[in-house]
Amino acid sequence: EVQLVESGGGLVQPGQSLRLSCTISGFTFGDNAVSWVRQAPGKGLECVGFIRTKGTTEYAASVKGRFTISRDGSISTAYLQMNNLKIEDTAIYYCTRVRGSYPRYWFDPWGQGTLVTVSS
Amino acid sequence: DILMTQSPATLSVSPGERATLSCRASQSVSTSLAWYQQKPGQPPRLLIYDSSTRATGVPDRFSGSGSGTEFSLTISGLQSEDFAVYYCQQHYNWPTFGQGTKVEVK
């Protein structure tokens, strides 16, 4: 069974950093890309970025230069390093397995998500 | 980025009836369109990809159609577990989502 479990969310002040983790099972990073998708409270969905099977990454314009996605295959964990956080980064962050062929990606399944709150 | 627009924002339907949700893309996405269902406190669940292909385990009362810029999701014979928010997502290039349609009990 494919599963993704996020952790690391919490309350931070604007300008601070936070690192989220996503532990995968049932597939490997060599099989599928992994993406981070966020959902602001009561709002819609935004793809933050993804890391492809070969390890290359792409990011949404809203987070480029501030967020970095990486992975450690030895422990089946992907990371989302978030620097210089802004109030508008407040959201539930979901880790997802990517399906399809680049760039035609859809997402299945999704983890349960971890809440990041940026507030002073 | 491609802008996805869903309508209506809220759809009131009685159990057992049919619901039709619409999604429009700001430019052609061919048939690269996915649909997700989200219930309160849960992550989205993939229903449809490639406009009309049901994901594994999705009941056949869910059907998708469309191409280019106009798409629809039809739920035939709504069941209690189908009342939720539905999102479309184009997977033609950088993924973007619609703002969602809430299907509520009439």
Side-chain angles (χ1 to χ4, degrees):
Chain A
E1 180 189 8
V2 172
Q3 287 191 315
L4 305 98
V5 179
E6 305 93 337
S7 61
L11 172 64
V12 297
Q13 294 184 338
Q16 291 187 331
S17 298
L18 199 62
R19 188 180 78 162
L20 307 182
S21 299
C22 169
T23 301
I24 67 171
S25 59
F27 72 104
T28 71
F29 293 125
D31 296 329
N32 297 95
V34 168
S35 180
W36 289 91
V37 179
R38 69 183 179 183
Q39 185 170 34
K43 301 295 184 182
L45 299 157
E46 178 187 21
C47 177
V48 171
F50 45 81
I51 185 164
R52 302 194 195 98
T53 55
K54 294 190 183 302
T56 55
T57 54
E58 279 193 48
Y59 302 94
S62 59
V63 306
K64 196 170 185 180
R66 299 188 299 123
F67 289 12
T68 302
I69 300 173
S70 61
R71 69 191 188 195
D72 185 340
S74 68
I75 55 172
S76 298
T77 300
Y79 302 98
L80 178 64
Q81 176 68 43
M82 303 183 292
N83 297 333
N84 189 23
L85 280 160
K86 304 177 180 182
I87 291 176
E88 54 264 37
D89 294 320
T90 294
I92 297 173
Y93 284 73
Y94 296 103
C95 180
T96 78
R97 182 180 66 165
V98 175
R99 308 304 303 277
S101 299
Y102 179 79
R104 303 195 176 190
Y105 288 159
W106 63 91
F107 309 110
D108 178 52
W110 300 53
Q112 286 297 311
T114 187
L115 176 63
V116 173
T117 303
V118 185
S119 176
S120 55
Chain B
D1 289 352
I2 297 175
L3 178 64
M4 306 302 293
T5 304
Q6 292 185 242
S7 61
T10 303
L11 187 61
S12 300
V13 186
S14 299
E17 291 188 340
R18 182 169 71 179
T20 300
L21 291 63
S22 296
C23 177
R24 174 177 291 179
S26 61
Q27 65 185 72
S28 176
V29 297
S30 184
T31 56
S32 297
L33 195 285
W35 290 94
Y36 301 85
Q37 175 193 67
Q38 188 177 32
K39 298 179 181 179
Q42 295 185 18
R45 168 199 176 200
L46 176 71
L47 298 175
I48 301 281
Y49 61 95
D50 286 345
S51 178
S52 61
T53 303
R54 273 187 298 276
T56 302
V58 174
D60 59 7
R61 64 180 181 272
F62 291 91
S63 62
S65 64
S67 65
T69 62
E70 301 285 342
F71 300 87
S72 63
L73 174 70
T74 300
I75 312 169
S76 304
L78 267 162
Q79 300 192 5
S80 57
E81 61 266 32
D82 300 335
F83 292 97
V85 178
Y86 292 84
Y87 293 96
C88 63
Q89 175 235 325
Q90 60 81 14
H91 55 89
Y92 187 74
N93 53 24
W94 184 267
T96 51
F97 296 83
Q99 79 280 19
T101 290
K102 181 180 181 180
V103 177
E104 65 175 23
V105 178
K106 186 175 182 181

